[in-house]
Amino acid sequence: MASSSGPLNEELQCSICLDVFTDPVTTPCGHNFCRTCLIKCWTNTQTCFCPLCKEQFNKKPDLKINTTLREVVQHFKEKLNLEEPEVFCDICDERKQKAVKSCLTCQSSYCETHLEPHLRVPCLKKHTLINAVENLEDYICQKHERPLELFCRDDQTCVCLFCTEGEHRTHNTVPIEEESQQKKIQLFQTQTDVQQMIQNRMKKIQEIQHSAELRKRNTVEEKSSSVDLFTDLIRSIERCQSELLKMMEEQQKTAEKQAEDLIKELHQEITDLKKRNTELEQISHTDDHLHLLQMYSTLCSRPHTKNWTEISIDSDVDVFPLYRALTQLKKTHKTLNEKLCQTGLDWAQKFAVDVTLDPDTANPYLLLSDDGKQVSRGNIKQDVPENPKRFDNGVLAKEGFSSGRFYYEVQVKGKTEWYLGVARESINRKEISLSPEDGLWIMVLNDQSEFLAFDNLSVGFSHTKTPEKVGVFVDYEEGLVSFYDVGSRSHIYSFTGQTFTEKLYPCFNPGVNDKGKNSNPLIISPVSSN
């Protein structure tokens, strides 16, 4: 039934088994399902919910058959049966009667009355009779116009008696009834395999729904706990709270989307497998041996489906360790902040991108490596072409970003001065102003220990130690640019509440050479999260 088409069929289709309803029941939210399907869906869950809209019910609903819908379904099934094509007698002159048999020898179909001579006359009794079919020509050898009564195992095709005296003379041929019986046995095994695949996918749907439900409940509980915990902390911790909750929301959305996509894919496979199962069921019980043999290769082949054995979604929320750490370190602001920032770096590193320096934008005094991953300050101005993209100070990456998040790391080990950050595409490259207002979001190390951030006003701040590697993270939509000490996995500074409207490019400046004291290059390093 699932193979029938049309808008009405979709309205009468259970969204779990994707077949026409059997004993339909209605949930409190108004959606309909097969009674058996819904019971199976709720078997391994503590909370009953609607499989379609996910609404949860305080107590298990009392499922009663929707009698009106059941009658509509029954009428629909009867209508489908009535629409099956009928074969009429070829001999009847006036009112055509329904044919009961087709003769392959005579190539005609007969009603009960006109079939009688084939059951009585000796010569006619030798003719080959089959259940009435419309397309008699498919059962006749097109070359010899004789019934297809044999099956050539060498060529895997149906042939007539005359064919065995010609090109199939030396081939292994058997009666189609014999070959049909053998193929039925093999088709039965294939049908069994398909039915098992359907059951496995139904079970996988239940597992995914259960995992998604458990994860959602855990997320709600942990969100509530995090809100209670962060309420007592100072403003800097509140910012970390906001970032963490956003991360949890995104993880939850990702998990729900993964579950939704997996279930959709499983439903599609179940639909395809049910269609195959129906075809196998029909062909396995048919007396139409020729049709069975013609369809055998297609139906007996294993369906192209995914191996679902190892596929699942994680129902745990991976921020539990962070919450335990927050609870233990609540009285120690400094330690708590370090823990939050470490987690923030772990999250930021997931958005790592490959960045390469653009020589067309490099200041003439800058020396770039051949691979575009290192830049240092030279003492001699290089003879380079004039280029409106070229900076009077610093160099940009080739890669620009106009949406989403990106992260990269730069080795600054042994340097006493450097500038790192991002610049918008339209920034004035000849008279550079170190401020977000003019399109530059950078952090500066000055005199080996002094950190500056030009957040419209110059902001000086201290850090535990001079980092050897700096991570830069940008969230375009959130207007966030953050800097991390990768070695200590701690947060250094963030520009927040920014508005980006153009493509952003990573920006690098190794600082002055300072008579060799600051000769080490800035090195764009591969990101490897711990």
Side-chain angles (χ1 to χ4, degrees), residues 417-467:
E417 180 184 8
W418 46 258
Y419 299 71
L420 291 174
V422 292
R424 70 185 180 206
E425 189 170 25
S426 66
I427 188 172
N428 187 337
R429 306 188 181 201
K430 306 305 178 184
E431 298 178 2
I432 298 176
S433 172
L434 305 181
S435 73
E437 186 176 26
D438 295 312
L440 195 63
W441 294 264
I442 63 168
M443 191 183 76
V444 178
L445 173 68
N446 186 32
D447 196 21
Q448 196 169 356
S449 59
E450 182 184 10
F451 289 96
L452 296 173
F454 291 88
D455 199 345
N456 291 319
L457 296 175
S458 178
V459 179
F461 55 93
S462 61
H463 191 58
T464 307
K465 64 177 182 178
T466 303

Side-chain angles (χ1 to χ4, degrees), residues 8 11-12 20-21 23-26 32 64-77:
L8 180 59
E11 295 296 329
L12 301 181
V20 177
F21 289 120
D23 291 334
V25 294
T26 305
N32 299 301
K64 294 182 179 180
I65 303 296
N66 187 330
T67 55
T68 302
L69 182 57
R70 183 172 61 180
E71 290 176 1
V72 173
V73 170
Q74 184 61 32
H75 176 73
F76 176 68
K77 291 180 178 179

Side-chain angles (χ1 to χ4, degrees), residues 46-47 56 210 212-222:
Q46 297 179 351
T47 305
Q56 295 187 3
H210 177 67
E213 178 190 357
L214 179 59
R215 184 185 181 94
K216 185 175 183 178
R217 184 166 62 250
N218 290 342
T219 299
V220 171
E221 293 174 356
E222 292 307 315

Side-chain angles (χ1 to χ4, degrees), residues 101-317:
K101 292 289 183 181
S102 295
C103 177
L104 298 182
T105 307
C106 301
Q107 298 186 32
S108 298
S109 298
Y110 302 99
C111 64
E112 289 187 2
T113 302
H114 292 112
L115 179 65
E116 188 272 336
H118 278 76
L119 305 178
R120 176 176 49 83
V121 179
C123 63
L124 294 179
K125 290 172 68 174
K126 296 179 181 180
H127 289 193
T128 304
L129 297 176
I130 63 173
N131 289 332
V133 294
E134 281 188 312
N135 50 337
L136 263 175
E137 64 274 7
D138 291 344
Y139 297 79
I140 304 298
C141 176
Q142 299 301 309
K143 183 176 181 180
H144 301 110
E145 295 185 352
R146 301 285 295 176
L148 295 169
E149 300 175 309
L150 301 170
F151 184 79
C152 176
R153 287 179 172 172
D154 292 346
D155 293 338
Q156 291 293 299
T157 186
C158 296
V159 297
C160 71
L161 187 60
F162 283 8
C163 291
T164 62
E165 297 174 358
E167 57 183 309
H168 295 274
R169 182 177 56 190
T170 60
H171 292 183
N172 179 16
T173 57
V174 295
I176 61 173
E177 293 84 357
E178 178 182 336
E179 185 69 16
S180 177
Q181 285 301 119
Q182 183 176 339
K183 290 294 193 288
K184 279 186 177 183
I185 296 173
Q186 296 171 351
L187 284 171
F188 176 76
Q189 182 58 49
T190 303
Q191 182 185 11
T192 302
D193 294 342
V194 169
Q195 290 173 344
Q196 184 60 50
M197 293 171 71
I198 292 173
Q199 292 300 319
N200 291 342
R201 279 150 183 76
M202 291 292 291
K203 184 177 180 181
K204 179 60 71 172
I205 287 176
Q206 293 179 10
E207 291 176 2
I208 292 173
Q209 288 175 332
H210 177 67
S211 298
E213 178 190 357
L214 179 59
R215 184 185 181 94
K216 185 175 183 178
R217 184 166 62 250
N218 290 342
T219 299
V220 171
E221 293 174 356
E222 292 307 315
K223 283 173 63 179
S224 177
S225 300
S226 69
V227 171
D228 293 339
L229 179 62
F230 279 112
T231 300
D232 299 331
L233 301 180
I234 62 175
R235 183 177 180 181
S236 62
I237 304 302
E238 291 179 346
R239 183 179 68 249
C240 295
Q241 172 199 10
S242 176
E243 294 177 0
L244 178 60
L245 291 179
K246 180 180 178 181
M247 177 185 68
M248 290 171 58
E249 290 284 357
E250 291 181 347
Q251 289 177 348
Q252 175 60 28
K253 289 178 181 178
T254 300
E256 290 183 349
K257 181 63 166 61
Q258 181 188 12
E260 180 183 342
D261 290 345
L262 288 174
I263 290 173
K264 182 178 180 180
E265 189 172 354
L266 281 162
H267 275 311
Q268 183 58 50
E269 284 198 10
I270 289 172
T271 299
D272 296 341
L273 289 170
K274 282 191 174 184
K275 182 178 180 181
R276 174 68 67 89
N277 185 58
T278 300
E279 293 171 344
L280 288 167
E281 178 71 21
Q282 293 173 349
I283 201 69
S284 296
H285 294 88
T286 184
D287 292 330
D288 188 344
H289 309 298
L290 177 63
H291 186 55
L292 182 147
L293 295 174
Q294 291 173 334
M295 296 297 295
Y296 173 77
S297 297
T298 301
L299 293 178
C300 201
S301 62
R302 182 176 179 84
H304 297 290
T305 56
K306 182 182 290 186
N307 181 3
W308 292 92
T309 306
E310 302 298 331
I311 296 178
S312 62
I313 64 171
D314 185 11
S315 61
D316 293 328
V317 180

Side-chain angles (χ1 to χ4, degrees), residues 41-66:
C41 183
W42 289 348
T43 298
N44 297 320
T45 60
Q46 297 179 351
T47 305
C48 294
F49 62 94
C50 173
L52 194 60
C53 70
K54 309 302 180 186
E55 180 177 339
Q56 295 187 3
F57 311 123
N58 295 330
K59 63 179 182 177
K60 187 174 182 178
D62 182 16
L63 299 178
K64 294 182 179 180
I65 303 296
N66 187 330

Side-chain angles (χ1 to χ4, degrees), residues 404-423:
R405 306 179 180 91
F406 63 94
Y407 172 86
Y408 60 94
E409 292 179 352
V410 183
Q411 180 178 310
V412 296
K413 182 178 180 180
K415 296 192 66 60
T416 59
E417 180 184 8
W418 46 258
Y419 299 71
L420 291 174
V422 292

